[in-house]
Amino acid sequence: MAKENMLLKKAHELGLMDEREFAVVADVTCSNGNRGRACMFLNGNLLFLYELRGFADLGEYVETLDMNKARFIKGSSFLLNPNMVLEYAGNRYKFVGFAQPKWVINHIKEACKG
């Protein structure tokens, strides 16, 4: 019997995810000085960033990136060093250390319109 993932259930209830169930944890560094480990959720073309707090709960809301206005700079799906860089609202966001890098990068590239 499969156990229900409470984090995914809460993300769905809050409208943070669509049918793609894009929920990824990564280390994020922004050129505005923000940095830390974050949960990323993709719903349509909105990328939601939340602080990571354990396995079953979201931390504080950080920000939302409108991927219609974001630009994908570069990414690497190399398993030992997955990373990607986005540009949004005059800032650069670097994401590193995430699982399923090829899948993540493909979804982010598709969502970026900037």
Side-chain angles (χ1 to χ4, degrees), residues 15-89:
L16 301 176
M17 293 190 314
D18 55 23
E19 67 282 346
R20 295 174 290 189
E21 293 202 340
F22 184 99
V24 178
V25 174
D27 291 316
V28 184
T29 304
C30 182
S31 60
N32 69 6
N34 285 344
R35 65 180 332 171
R37 197 131 177 92
C39 292
M40 302 185 299
F41 301 99
L42 190 60
N43 187 347
N45 284 345
L46 297 177
L47 182 67
F48 299 96
L49 299 177
Y50 279 81
E51 289 180 349
L52 181 62
R53 184 183 298 155
F55 293 110
D57 198 12
L58 293 175
E60 295 295 317
Y61 167 78
V62 177
E63 67 182 305
T64 303
L65 281 62
D66 181 353
M67 301 305 279
N68 288 321
K69 299 174 184 171
R71 188 166 64 101
F72 185 87
I73 304 296
K74 64 181 178 176
S76 171
S77 60
F78 180 59
L79 221 41
L80 298 177
N81 185 27
N83 65 77
M84 66 180 168
V85 178
L86 303 177
E87 191 172 77
Y88 177 74

Side-chain angles (χ1 to χ4, degrees), residues 6-17:
M6 298 307 289
L7 180 64
L8 294 181
K9 181 179 178 185
K10 185 172 185 175
H12 272 295
E13 289 171 357
L14 293 172
L16 301 176
M17 293 190 314

Side-chain angles (χ1 to χ4, degrees), residues 96-112:
V96 297
F98 46 89
Q100 298 179 305
K102 189 172 185 177
W103 181 81
V104 169
I105 289 171
N106 286 339
H107 278 293
I108 294 296
K109 275 184 177 179
E110 286 176 9
C112 283

